[in-house]
Structures are given as structure tokens and as C-alpha cells.
Amino acid sequence: EFFFPALPPLLFPTYFHCHTFYIAYTKKYWADLAWMLTFYIRFFYTYGSLLETKTLNSLISLHRMLESSWFVWVSQMNHIPMDIDYDKNLDWVSTQLLATCNVEQSLFNDWFTGHLNFQIEH
């Protein structure tokens, strides 16, 4: 009931984004952490003279929320497997081919998913 309004917009900003920084810091991946921080340095340097800090943070958050919703919808569209109890004795490849499904083709859907709507081929 609360999955679609709450989790898709918050997946990237709260989990992936913060968790990536957390892992880089705790595992002492200093070079990776420095490269990640260069994005924010460049972003604030480029847009800092045009917008206030509060507006820039809101812009980053909005971008991450839209990106997160897109990612969840695209990845979940064809990764939810169908029920295939009768195929339990098949090998992995055959099971995957039977369980995945292609999503209806349309110009918007092809563009929106980056052609990932063809799950079997992807």
C-alpha cells in the first residue's frame, strides 16, 4: 500500500546515495570518495553563483527523487517473475526465459526504458 508513494522516490536519495558515501568512508576508499565529492564541488561551483544553497540542495534532491522513481519503475516493470512452479526441474537459463516477459513495445516505452523493456534480450 505504501510502496509506490514512499519507496521509489526515496530509494536513490536515502539508500543508494547515502549508502555509497558511507561505504566509501568506512572502507577507506579515499580515491572513490574524492571522485564522488568532485561532482558536488563542480555542481556548487557552477550553479552556486546563480542559485542559493537551499535551492541547489532542493534541485539535487528533486533530481535524485525523479531518477529513483524512474529506476524503480523501469527495473520492476519486467523483473517481477511469473509463477513457474511447474518448471522447477528445468535448468536456470530455461527457467529465466520462461519467467521473464517483454513489455509492450511503443515509442515512449522504448525511449523511457532505454530498450530494457525487452527483458529476455537484455
Side-chain angles (χ1 to χ4, degrees):
E1 183 176 330
F2 298 107
F3 175 78
F4 289 110
L7 289 180
L10 299 176
L11 183 66
F12 270 40
T14 57
Y15 181 71
F16 287 146
H17 190 69
C18 297
H19 192 70
T20 302
F21 277 98
Y22 172 76
I23 292 296
Y25 179 76
T26 57
K27 296 199 180 257
K28 298 182 171 90
Y29 296 151
W30 303 121
D32 291 340
L33 188 61
W35 277 111
M36 289 188 293
L37 289 174
T38 61
F39 165 78
Y40 293 101
I41 293 168
R42 287 180 293 128
F43 185 83
F44 280 99
Y45 179 75
T46 303
Y47 299 108
S49 61
L50 301 172
L51 302 169
E52 297 175 2
T53 304
K54 184 177 178 181
T55 307
L56 285 174
N57 286 333
S58 299
L59 186 62
I60 290 173
S61 297
L62 177 66
H63 174 263
R64 294 289 183 200
M65 290 175 81
L66 291 173
E67 175 187 32
S68 182
S69 295
W70 172 83
F71 174 78
V72 169
W73 281 104
V74 168
S75 65
Q76 292 303 309
M77 180 173 24
N78 46 19
H79 282 86
I80 299 174
M82 295 182 292
D83 188 22
I84 53 167
D85 287 337
Y86 58 88
D87 292 327
K88 287 186 177 180
N89 295 329
L90 290 177
D91 61 302
W92 183 82
V93 174
S94 299
T95 305
Q96 290 299 307
L97 288 174
L98 290 172
T100 58
C101 58
N102 289 335
V103 177
E104 186 175 330
Q105 183 178 5
S106 71
L107 185 60
F108 173 77
N109 211 13
D110 290 345
W111 168 80
F112 185 73
T113 64
H115 292 279
L116 291 177
N117 53 332
F118 298 109
Q119 180 58 24
I120 295 170
E121 292 81 359
H122 134 85

